[in-house]
């Protein structure tokens, strides 16, 4: 983990970022990120890690019970759509995102 990532994921920064993300919805955040990507990098990383966690949970649940909780699928879908809208502004940070979506579609569509 890089020094920047370690700093961004400290308990203090997660608390601060979490509060900022709560204030901004997934509907309004993409337009703000497109205007000033560098300012919202911490929020992006937090939401990308949340996407990865949701993806892992979804894959685990679908392997155990294909008709599992639809809330997990909805959360994953919302995060995937959000990230799809901002990927072009964070190509280096979201380099694995297209592959993750392709694998998800291949395995669980």
């Amino acid at each position: 983990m890089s020094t920047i990532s370690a700093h961004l994921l400290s308990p203090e920064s997660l608390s601060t970022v979490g509060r900022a993300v709560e204030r901004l919805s997934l509907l309004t955040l993409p337009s703000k990120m497109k205007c000033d990507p560098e300012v919202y990098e911490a929020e992006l990383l937090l939401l990308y890690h949340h996407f990865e966690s949701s993806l892992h949970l979804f894959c685990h649940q679908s392997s155990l019970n294909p008709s599992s909780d639809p809330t997990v699928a909805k959360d994953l879908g919302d995060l995937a759509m959000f990230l799809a809208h901002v990927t072009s502004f964070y190509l280096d940070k979201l380099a694995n995102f297209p592959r993750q979506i392709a694998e998800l579609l291949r395995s669980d569509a």
Side-chain angles (χ1 to χ4, degrees), residues 10-57:
S10 71
E12 297 81 23
S13 64
L14 284 176
S15 174
T16 302
V17 170
R19 284 192 299 272
V21 170
E22 286 174 19
R23 288 192 307 260
L24 300 170
S25 75
L26 291 181
L27 298 174
T28 60
L29 192 55
S31 62
K32 293 177 184 296
M33 289 177 143
K34 290 175 185 179
C35 291
D36 200 353
E38 290 144 9
V39 170
Y40 292 96
E41 191 172 306
E43 286 84 355
L44 172 83
L45 293 174
L46 181 67
L47 288 166
Y48 185 50
H49 289 296
H50 183 57
F51 165 79
E52 290 180 320
S53 297
S54 295
L55 179 61
H56 178 73
L57 179 61

Side-chain angles (χ1 to χ4, degrees), residues 44-45 47-55 75-106:
L44 172 83
L45 293 174
L47 288 166
Y48 185 50
H49 289 296
H50 183 57
F51 165 79
E52 290 180 320
S53 297
S54 295
L55 179 61
D75 185 44
L76 181 62
D78 291 345
L79 288 166
M81 287 301 292
F82 165 79
L83 292 171
H85 284 285
V86 298
T87 297
S88 62
F89 297 93
Y90 299 98
L91 293 174
D92 58 331
K93 304 292 184 211
L94 298 175
N96 290 328
F97 177 68
R99 179 190 50 77
Q100 290 170 307
I101 293 297
E103 288 176 11
L104 174 65
L105 292 172
R106 199 173 303 116

